[in-house]
Each structure stands twice: as structure tokens, then as C-alpha cells.
Amino acid sequence: MKKFATMITVASLALPLALAAPFAVTSALPAANAATTTTKAPAKKAATTTTKKSAATTKTTATKGVTYTIAKNGVKNFKAQSYHIKANVNVYKGFFYADAGKVTFTKKGVLKGGVTYKVTRSVAVTKGSKTSTFLYVKGQGYVSAAQMTKGAYMQAD
């Protein structure tokens, strides 16, 4: 019984490696064949365009957020409460520092207005002399508390 369990474990660990190796080799072969069949001038142009594209993608993916200092007793978790918004608002992703009382918020997307959301956490933050509060919308991210209203959304007649 132990031999069978050992064989199954070895097979489960070796199988992904055995399948990944042929794909890595075959993906390198077309690039080598393409380099030998083309002339030198087009190959240089292709190389310069790919470096420009890779530099552009690194610039666009690196988004900077706003860093705040967490206020004393600033993070509070509570039972889910209903909040709503009337218009579309920005939702942020929060990155909490492990070794300092700071948090960085980067824009994640936009929340749709006219919907009831569940809020489970609040974070009081300061930047300079200004104090703000962000609420965590369950499954979405952080939203400024000034833009949310407590209670379920009710459409006007």
C-alpha cells in the first residue's frame, strides 16, 4: 500500500514537469526558425519595436497610489452593514504595510451607482492634517466613506 501511494505522489509531481518541457522546447523552435529565414534588416526592426513595446507596457502597468498613515485605532471590523451610492464612484485596492502603520490605495475600478453594497470594515487614515475614512465593500475594494450613504438603496418614485 505504501508503494502505491509513493508511486501516485511521484507521478503527480512529475507529470506537470513532463508535460511542460515539450511545450517550452516547441515554443523556442519557431523563433529560431524565423530568425534564420528572415533577412537581417527586418529582424533588427522587429527587435527595436519589441523593446519599445515592452518599455511602454512597464510604464502603463506601474500605477502609483496614494499612501496614508493609519490613525490610532483606525482599522475596525464589524458585521456586514448595508450602504449605497447614488452615482458611480472609484473603488480602490488597499495595500497595508506590514512593518509600518501605513496603507496605499490604488484605483481598481468604478462601482456602479444605485446599488446596495455590504460593508465589513472601515479604515481611518490621515495625510498631513486631513483625516479620511475608507469603507471596505465586500468583494469589491475600498471606497471613500464620504461618497457612501448608510442603508439600502431605494429608488425614488
Side-chain angles (χ1 to χ4, degrees), residues 14-74:
L15 189 60
L17 294 174
L19 292 176
F23 293 126
V25 172
T26 56
S27 65
L29 289 177
N33 291 340
T36 58
T37 58
T38 58
T39 61
K40 290 182 180 180
K44 287 182 182 178
K45 287 182 182 178
T48 56
T49 56
T50 56
T51 56
K52 287 181 183 177
K53 287 181 182 178
S54 64
T57 56
T58 56
K59 288 181 182 177
T60 57
T61 57
T63 58
K64 292 188 177 183
V66 180
T67 302
Y68 295 96
T69 303
I70 299 175
K72 186 176 181 182
N73 298 327

